[in-house]
Structure formats: C-alpha cells, structure tokens
Amino acid sequence: MYDMDDIARLLDGALASGVGSAAAISVGDAGVEVFRHVAGHTRRVPDRGEPITEHTPFDVASVTKPMATVAIAMVLVAERALDLDAPVRHYLPAAATTATVRQLLGHSAGCAAHVEFFRRLRAERPATPRERLIELAAAEPADPPGSAAIYSDLGFIQLGAVLEQAGNQPLPVLFDRMVGTPLNLRARYATSPIAAAIATELDDRGLVCGVVHDENAYEAGGALGHAGLFASIDDVARFAAAIVAAASGQPRGGFDPASGQRFFTDAPLPSATWRLGWDTPSHTPGVSQAGDRWPRTGSFGHTGFTGTSLWVDLPNRRWVALLTNRVHPTRF
C-alpha cells in the first residue's frame, strides 16, 4: 500500500501559497502508476479559470526535449534512419559546430546555452521565421565539441532540424507517428492554439495561454527541438511507463529496448551528468534538480522552465512526473 497524502498536501499547500495556479503529479512504481493527483485551475488572472483534470494540457517547456525530440531520435536510431555518430554537418551543412549528433544530444557539442533570437525575428519579420531561427541557431559560434557540458537550447533547436532531415517529415508529424499515436497520447505541439490549456506567464504578449511560453519557439511557430509540446499528466504518465518498460527490456510503442538503452547510459562527456538527452542526478548534495533523496544509480530525468519535471529510477522501475505552471502569472 502507498500513502501519498503528504505529496497531495504539499502540492495543495503550494497552490494555496500562490505558486502557480495548477499542479498535477504521477508516481509510478514497479512499472505501473500508483498515485495521481491533480489540483488547481487553469489560471489565476484575470480570473481563476476552470478546474483542471488529468487531461488538461500543460506547456511542458524543456520536457519537450526528452518526451518528443529524444524519443523521436530513439525511434529513428532503431529504424536505422539516424546515425548518432554522424557529424551534425551531415544533416545541417551550414552548422558552426563540428560535433556529432551524439554530442548534440549530450549537450557537449560546444553550442551556446541560449540566445534571444526572438527579438531579431520580431525586428526582421522573415517570411519563414522557423527556418530563420534554425539558421541563426546553426550559425551561432560554437566552442570545440567535447570541451565542456553546456545545457543548450541552441543545440536542441539544431537537433530538431536534424531529426526532420533524417525522418523526412516535420517534427509534429514525427512525434505523432513515433510517439503520440503508438502510446495513445493527446499531447501535441502548439503549432496552433491549444484549447483549455494551463496559462503560463503574463508578459508583453498578454496572458500566454495555449501557445508556447518559450519566446524563441513562439516566434518560430511553436514546434522546435527544445520546446513547444503541450501534454497532460495522463500523457506524461503514459510516456514514463513506456520509457521504464523500454529501459527494462520490454518493447512499448515504437521504443526498441536495445537501441533505447544507449540513450539512458551513454555519456558523451564522461565528467558531466548528461546522457543522450537525459540528465542524471549529481552526487554533489544540493545540486541536482532531482533532489538529494532521489537514487543516484540508474536514474535519469529532465526539467522544464514552466515548472515541469520527469525523473525515473530505473532499478525500481519508478517515476515521478510533476506538471505545474510556476511561472504564472510571472516568473518573478
């Protein structure tokens, strides 16, 4: 039996104190979900909004990286359509980085962490803003690959474009075919407004709701390798169960255990915590966003700026998925 009342009280208390307007959590153990709790409303301003359900979509922000981009890469590798050891320039000839696709996944390609390209896109108003953003990200000067681990949105913007080249389809189509449909997910990219979604920040765009919070992704149409996916706690729980199954040697959806295992264990830069698109908990106390009590062996996960996270404890086939809108009504 499981007593999760303390977790529910913790989330309810956070909402009562003004941390965002909504929270949802899924806890899995031995490969199956054992606890789910949803609380709050779609927004606080200008009114309280509707109560959320287990199917209410959140902007998962950088959890897009493992749930969409990395998941697509896993399937393409299994299909032998993507070569992790190929140079990025094999797929994007104009890329500044001399790294491999594997190094892009492991945040060791020398790419800059973040550039506010959205300001340039607003000024230029290019005919194809998405293509222009990818061009700008690829052209940004890069350090020698393998010299340091730098968590890089620019690297994953390029990675998304690499996957489109390898899979010969746009990211939303690849996601639906390789992840969404096989796992029966409602999750999708915000290429058009997402109905009944959780609001994020009140900024110069007004109340950001149903469109991607990340400004670069927003200006480029809502579907990039680093951000843009909207998913409910039901979606993330289904995805987590599939990842746990695949990592444990059990095929689920399009995830092949043999090729998938590499994504959870391969460290392009051995001194870093990053594997292929997944982070692992630091052994230094107080550093990891997984918290100090999450197991250090066989664990991996990811977080998102809007207040989202997914952490997996593979030896126990456990997961904790947390979705919030902690940037609402402001990140400050």
Side-chain angles (χ1 to χ4, degrees), residues 265-290:
T265 58
D266 186 355
L269 191 65
S271 61
T273 59
W274 286 100
R275 302 302 179 254
L276 299 189
W278 292 92
D279 200 6
T280 59
S282 171
H283 289 270
T284 303
V287 171
S288 176
Q289 295 182 69

Side-chain angles (χ1 to χ4, degrees), residues 18 20-21 31 75 84 97 153 165 265 299-300 314 324 327 332:
S21 71
V75 177
L84 295 182
T97 180
D153 277 356
Q165 291 292 319
T265 58
S299 297
F300 51 87
L314 191 54
T324 77
V327 297
F332 305 110

Side-chain angles (χ1 to χ4, degrees), residues 17-274:
S17 68
V19 179
S21 71
I25 192 167
S26 166
V27 178
D29 185 54
V32 297
E33 188 180 62
V34 296
F35 176 71
R36 181 181 293 185
H37 180 69
V38 298
H41 296 75
T42 55
R43 60 185 180 269
R44 288 188 184 276
V45 295
D47 53 45
R48 196 163 68 162
E50 296 296 319
I52 74 163
T53 74
E54 62 184 358
H55 297 297
T56 303
F58 286 75
D59 179 344
V60 300
S62 282
V63 174
T64 298
K65 293 181 173 76
M67 192 170 172
T69 311
V70 178
I72 292 167
M74 287 172 59
V75 177
L76 287 172
V77 167
E79 294 180 349
R80 301 183 182 277
L82 177 67
D83 181 1
L84 295 182
D85 296 315
V88 175
R89 289 176 179 175
H90 174 74
Y91 300 98
L92 301 177
T97 180
T98 58
T100 64
V101 176
R102 173 175 173 261
Q103 289 172 315
L104 270 188
L105 277 158
H107 294 287
S108 61
C111 300
H114 178 71
V115 177
E116 292 184 341
F117 290 128
F118 67 91
R119 300 188 188 281
R120 186 164 175 176
L121 293 178
R122 289 174 182 174
E124 290 182 1
R125 296 188 178 276
T128 54
R130 186 175 189 276
E131 287 76 4
R132 180 59 173 150
L133 175 66
I134 293 169
E135 177 186 302
L136 290 170
E140 188 71 15
D143 293 332
S147 56
I150 301 174
Y151 176 72
S152 174
D153 277 356
L154 270 63
F156 264 69
I157 291 171
Q158 294 175 74
L159 181 59
V162 166
L163 300 184
E164 291 181 323
Q165 291 292 319
N168 200 33
Q169 289 178 313
L171 272 181
V173 177
L174 292 173
F175 174 77
D176 184 63
R177 176 168 72 84
M178 298 179 173
V179 186
T181 296
L183 299 182
N184 195 27
L185 308 183
R186 301 183 184 186
R188 72 173 180 89
Y189 280 98
T191 53
S192 59
I194 307 291
I198 304 291
T200 53
E201 198 161 16
L202 184 63
D203 63 15
D204 58 3
R205 294 171 286 180
L207 181 62
V208 179
C209 185
V211 296
V212 62
H213 177 263
D214 180 273
E215 293 96 335
N216 281 343
Y218 174 80
E219 292 295 333
L224 278 298
H226 72 297
L229 193 71
F230 277 65
S232 68
I233 195 63
D234 184 71
D235 292 325
V236 183
R238 288 173 183 267
F239 174 76
I243 288 295
V244 166
S248 303
Q250 305 164 16
R252 182 77 64 87
F255 299 148
D256 172 62
S259 60
Q261 190 66 229
R262 181 180 180 185
F263 281 75
F264 314 127
T265 58
D266 186 355
L269 191 65
S271 61
T273 59
W274 286 100

